[in-house]
Amino acid sequence: MIRSLLFRWLSQTPATSKRGEAGERVAERYLRREKGFKRIARNWRNPQDRREEIDLVMKDGEVLVFVEVKTRAMDALVPGYHAVDAAKRKILRRGIAAYLRGLSTQPVTHRLDVVEVGWPAEGRKEPPKLRHIERVALKPSRGS
């Protein structure tokens, strides 16, 4: 566990960190403009456990939507959706539960969405490509 956290921290170069932040901004703008979502929070962290971060908390009508944004190079071999593995879902479940506990009124319902942002290669003049996956299962599937 410590080794994987250290690897992730070391692999977060300023360039990938900036690309991740830019991907979150692009995803938020897309969800607001194209889908009509309202932003509630961005980069929310559980005060009791700072590892539990939710990229975007949005409102889709009466539904509270927790959004995990995965920014990758357009030609990445592994799509961002597949990076939301069982370990990441477990962290998201805990973060979402903490977020919901902190609300004075509970939402009618909530869900998890993933937005993949395909970032163009350096120097290419094309916009990022987005893929919005709604209602991603938070619970582990059988056999996971």
Side-chain angles (χ1 to χ4, degrees):
M1 167 103 174
I2 301 256
R3 180 178 273 166
S4 68
L5 289 172
L6 180 62
F7 175 76
R8 267 196 306 197
W9 179 77
L10 290 172
S11 66
Q12 279 288 312
T13 65
T16 59
S17 178
K18 283 184 181 181
R19 182 170 54 192
E21 290 171 22
E24 288 174 5
R25 286 192 304 275
V26 167
E28 178 189 341
R29 189 176 16 206
Y30 166 79
L31 292 171
R32 282 189 297 105
R33 291 182 181 170
E34 302 297 323
K35 299 286 188 159
F37 289 19
K38 288 175 41 181
R39 182 180 81 169
I40 306 299
R42 185 160 166 229
N43 295 323
W44 180 87
R45 287 185 184 271
N46 181 353
Q48 279 75 45
D49 189 342
R50 306 283 295 158
R51 295 171 297 177
E52 296 169 8
E53 179 190 7
I54 301 169
D55 294 333
L56 296 168
V57 181
M58 310 285 286
K59 214 49 193 291
D60 178 13
E62 293 298 312
V63 179
L64 192 61
V65 183
F66 299 97
V67 182
E68 178 66 16
V69 179
K70 290 298 182 186
T71 305
R72 299 280 190 267
M74 274 190 195
D75 58 354
L77 296 175
V78 178
Y81 173 80
H82 294 293
V84 185
D85 58 9
K88 181 63 178 176
R89 288 173 202 231
K90 183 177 181 180
I91 292 168
L92 286 167
R93 275 194 310 274
R94 289 193 321 247
I96 289 169
Y99 186 91
L100 292 171
R101 277 192 307 271
L103 296 177
S104 56
T105 31
Q106 293 299 303
V108 172
T109 188
H110 65 276
R111 70 176 195 246
L112 172 67
D113 288 4
V114 173
V115 175
E116 293 178 347
V117 180
W119 208 259
E122 192 71 34
R124 295 192 62 180
K125 300 288 185 194
E126 59 186 298
K129 290 191 171 42
L130 277 82
R131 180 175 172 220
H132 179 203
I133 302 119
E134 297 183 39
R135 295 179 226 26
V136 174
L138 269 171
K139 302 219 188 285
S141 60
R142 291 179 190 238
S144 306

